[in-house]
Amino acid sequence: MPGLAERYRPSSWDEVVGQEKVVARLRALSARGGLAGRAYWLSGQSGTGKTTLARLIASDVADEFFITEVDAASLTVAGLQELEREMSSYGWGGKTGRAYLVNEAHALRKPVIRQLLVLLERIPAHVAIVFTTTCEGQESLFEDYEDASPLLSRCLRLDLSRRDLAKPFAERAKQIAEKEGLDGQPIERYVKLAQLHRNNLRAMLQAIDSGEMLS
């Protein structure tokens, strides 16, 4: 059975907590013409919402069967070229777009980055590409790759908030704990849990799942 983090992963913009500025920006883009036709670079600390936001962007563009997640470390030039050929066709169903999520983007290899620079100049209007990385991973990308800046300049950069997350994460965690019958602590204890886990909501929910807040 999936853990609390997966079972309660937000399925709409309204359910996202702690990242109001990024959500507002994405909702405005969606309202103006949709989120397809561009690339996104999501950077943030672990457990602050990168994967959630990436999947919400993807679901805005494409139906489930036309959302592809790839690990950056295993992405090759040949694999990227195959994805590019796939991008030339539309999806079908309720939405006709395609979305590609590139996880742990700091692990991209130099030849792949060079190929991406070309691809990102000509993203089809029905396609969204979303890169996710940790703050630390993004910093190492800048240090190690001379092509990092051109890559990021071709993406809409969305830096997730690192501050003021303890309270909204505590409130969300307590709400989930109550619903699951795993709550036995005041909100202040959840704030301390958030601080203990450095505002990593996923880690907080794993602790709650193990019964930490029952006594």
Side-chain angles (χ1 to χ4, degrees):
M1 184 177 184
L4 295 180
E6 278 303 315
R7 278 158 47 205
Y8 287 93
R9 185 183 294 279
S11 58
S12 71
W13 301 118
D14 290 335
E15 295 176 3
V16 177
V17 295
Q19 301 297 343
E20 287 78 11
K21 289 183 180 179
V22 171
V23 169
R25 193 172 178 188
L26 289 168
R27 292 182 100 156
L29 279 172
S30 180
R32 287 205 305 268
L35 299 179
R38 68 173 74 225
Y40 302 83
W41 185 275
L42 297 179
S43 174
Q45 293 179 183
S46 294
T48 55
K50 295 185 302 297
T51 299
T52 290
L53 289 168
R55 290 179 179 174
L56 287 174
I57 291 170
S59 65
D60 188 88
V61 171
D63 281 340
E64 179 182 359
F65 293 110
F66 298 97
I67 296 173
T68 302
E69 293 197 38
V70 298
D71 181 67
S74 63
L75 188 59
T76 63
V77 170
L80 186 58
Q81 289 171 338
E82 178 61 32
L83 291 179
E84 189 171 3
R85 284 191 289 272
E86 183 181 279
M87 290 176 192
S88 64
S89 63
Y90 287 83
W92 62 82
K95 303 160 191 171
T96 57
R98 289 181 180 269
Y100 298 85
L101 279 53
V102 182
N103 300 316
E104 308 296 333
H106 52 272
L108 288 166
R109 302 171 188 175
K110 289 183 181 180
V112 174
I113 289 178
R114 287 194 288 270
Q115 183 71 22
L116 277 168
L117 296 181
V118 178
L119 169 60
L120 296 181
E121 289 287 352
R122 57 188 190 208
I123 297 177
H126 63 281
V127 170
I129 302 174
V130 188
F131 300 93
T132 67
T133 183
T134 60
C135 301
E136 296 79 10
Q138 179 171 283
E139 290 164 3
S140 68
L141 186 70
F142 277 116
E143 292 172 1
D144 296 340
Y145 294 102
E146 67 276 9
D147 283 329
S149 293
L151 172 63
L152 268 63
S153 72
R154 288 163 169 78
C155 302
L156 174 62
R157 286 187 58 178
L158 298 168
D159 297 318
L160 274 62
S161 175
R162 304 187 194 194
R163 303 178 58 187
D164 303 320
L165 296 176
K167 185 176 180 182
F169 280 8
E171 291 172 346
R172 177 62 172 156
K174 183 172 175 59
Q175 179 187 56
I176 291 171
E178 289 173 349
K179 188 170 182 179
E180 291 289 323
L182 294 169
D183 175 54
Q185 299 290 336
I187 188 65
E188 292 78 15
R189 180 68 180 82
Y190 286 87
V191 172
K192 289 182 179 179
L193 185 69
Q195 294 166 344
L196 175 66
H197 290 287
R198 299 183 179 182
N199 295 330
N200 184 324
L201 183 55
R202 180 176 59 253
M204 292 172 65
L205 293 177
Q206 287 171 346
I208 291 167
D209 212 1
S210 68
E212 183 167 329
M213 307 304 281
L214 284 172
S215 58

